[in-house]
Amino acid sequence: MKCLLRMFAARGQGVVFMETVISTRPSKAGHCLIECIPMPMNKAQDVPGYFRESLLASDDEWSQHRKIIDTTVKTEAAVPKDGDVKDQDRNHFQAREAIRRGGFRNTMTAKMPYFHAWFDPYGGMGHVIENPELFPPWFGREVIAGVLDLPPTVYRKPRRLKESHDQRCERADEWKKRFGWKRYDWTKMLEQE
C-alpha cells in the first residue's frame, strides 16, 4: 500500500483503497479484493467527505452499529509520572512509548459484512453492512465515479477482460514499465537480504 501511495504521489495523484465484503460465509465470500483507485490530487482531498456523506445515507435508517467507524490509527503517549520532566524529555517519552490504538484490525470485525476505504496508510473509514441485500457491491466505485464525474457504466458494468495467464502477465509487465514500478517494488528489498 505504501509503495503504491509513493508511486502515485510522484505522479501527482492521490489514491483510495477500498474493500467490500458482502458475505462472510466461506462458500460465498470468495477471496480478499482491495481495489486501488488513483485520481488527481485535488479530487483525492475531497474523497473522505464524499464517503462520509454516502455512508451516512446507506443501509437502513436505524441500525445496531455506527454508520461510520473511524479506522485511523491513533497514538496515545505515556509520560513519566514525576512532574519534573523537561519538554524535550517529554517528547522523547511520547515518541518512544506511544501506544497504538485504532486501525482496521482493532475497530472492524471480520465476522460481519463490511465496507472499508483507506485514504492513507494510517486508516480511513469503515461501515458494517447490516443488510447485504440492500448494499450494492459497487458502492465504493459509485462514490469515486461521482467524485470524478464518470457515467454509471464505468462502475456498474466494468469491462471484463477474457485473457490467458500469459496475456495477464504481459499486461502486468507493461503496467510496471509504464509506471516505473521497479523503483517502488518492496519485494526487491526482500531478495537483497
Side-chain angles (χ1 to χ4, degrees):
M1 184 184 277
K2 289 179 183 178
C3 293
L4 287 169
L5 283 165
R6 281 191 211 122
M7 183 182 76
F8 285 115
R11 297 175 59 93
Q13 295 180 314
V15 184
V16 175
F17 296 91
M18 301 180 304
E19 180 181 18
T20 306
V21 177
I22 298 289
S23 176
T24 56
R25 291 192 333 215
S27 61
K28 289 190 173 189
H31 60 85
C32 175
L33 173 67
I34 298 176
E35 298 173 274
C36 171
I37 302 177
M39 64 187 65
M41 194 64 80
N42 61 346
K43 301 270 187 178
Q45 294 170 349
D46 298 336
V47 168
Y50 277 88
F51 270 105
R52 181 171 299 284
E53 288 301 314
S54 298
L55 287 171
L56 287 172
S58 69
D59 271 351
D60 295 329
E61 186 177 341
W62 304 100
S63 58
Q64 291 181 336
H65 300 89
R66 288 180 290 164
K67 288 273 191 173
I68 298 173
I69 300 170
D70 182 16
T71 61
T72 308
V73 173
K74 299 161 188 72
T75 58
E76 187 178 285
V79 181
K81 302 251 191 278
D82 60 333
D84 203 14
V85 178
K86 297 178 189 171
D87 283 340
Q88 72 182 40
D89 289 338
R90 179 175 287 121
N91 290 338
H92 171 74
F93 282 112
Q94 288 176 348
R96 203 174 117 227
E97 298 185 20
I99 301 167
R100 289 179 65 150
R101 60 188 170 85
F104 179 75
R105 288 186 180 163
N106 294 332
T107 54
M108 295 296 291
T109 178
K111 305 248 186 266
M112 293 187 74
Y114 64 87
F115 170 81
H116 188 258
W118 290 267
F119 308 114
D120 58 31
Y122 306 108
M125 61 182 70
H127 173 75
V128 175
I129 301 170
E130 297 200 15
N131 191 349
E133 288 83 30
L134 296 177
F135 197 85
W138 58 77
F139 174 81
R141 292 189 300 262
E142 182 177 16
V143 173
I144 297 295
V147 172
L148 299 175
D149 297 324
L150 298 172
T153 54
V154 172
Y155 61 87
R156 282 205 173 180
K157 293 187 178 184
R159 183 176 59 132
R160 301 280 183 220
L161 299 176
K162 295 179 182 171
E163 57 190 4
S164 68
H165 177 72
D166 293 338
Q167 290 172 323
R168 222 173 305 136
C169 290
E170 189 177 301
R171 195 163 52 97
D173 290 339
E174 181 184 311
W175 182 88
K176 288 176 187 178
K177 287 177 192 169
R178 192 170 109 207
F179 286 97
W181 178 244
K182 274 187 179 178
R183 288 184 290 164
Y184 305 101
D185 189 3
W186 61 273
T187 59
K188 298 297 179 200
M189 293 178 215
L190 298 175
E191 293 172 2
Q192 292 172 358
E193 293 178 4

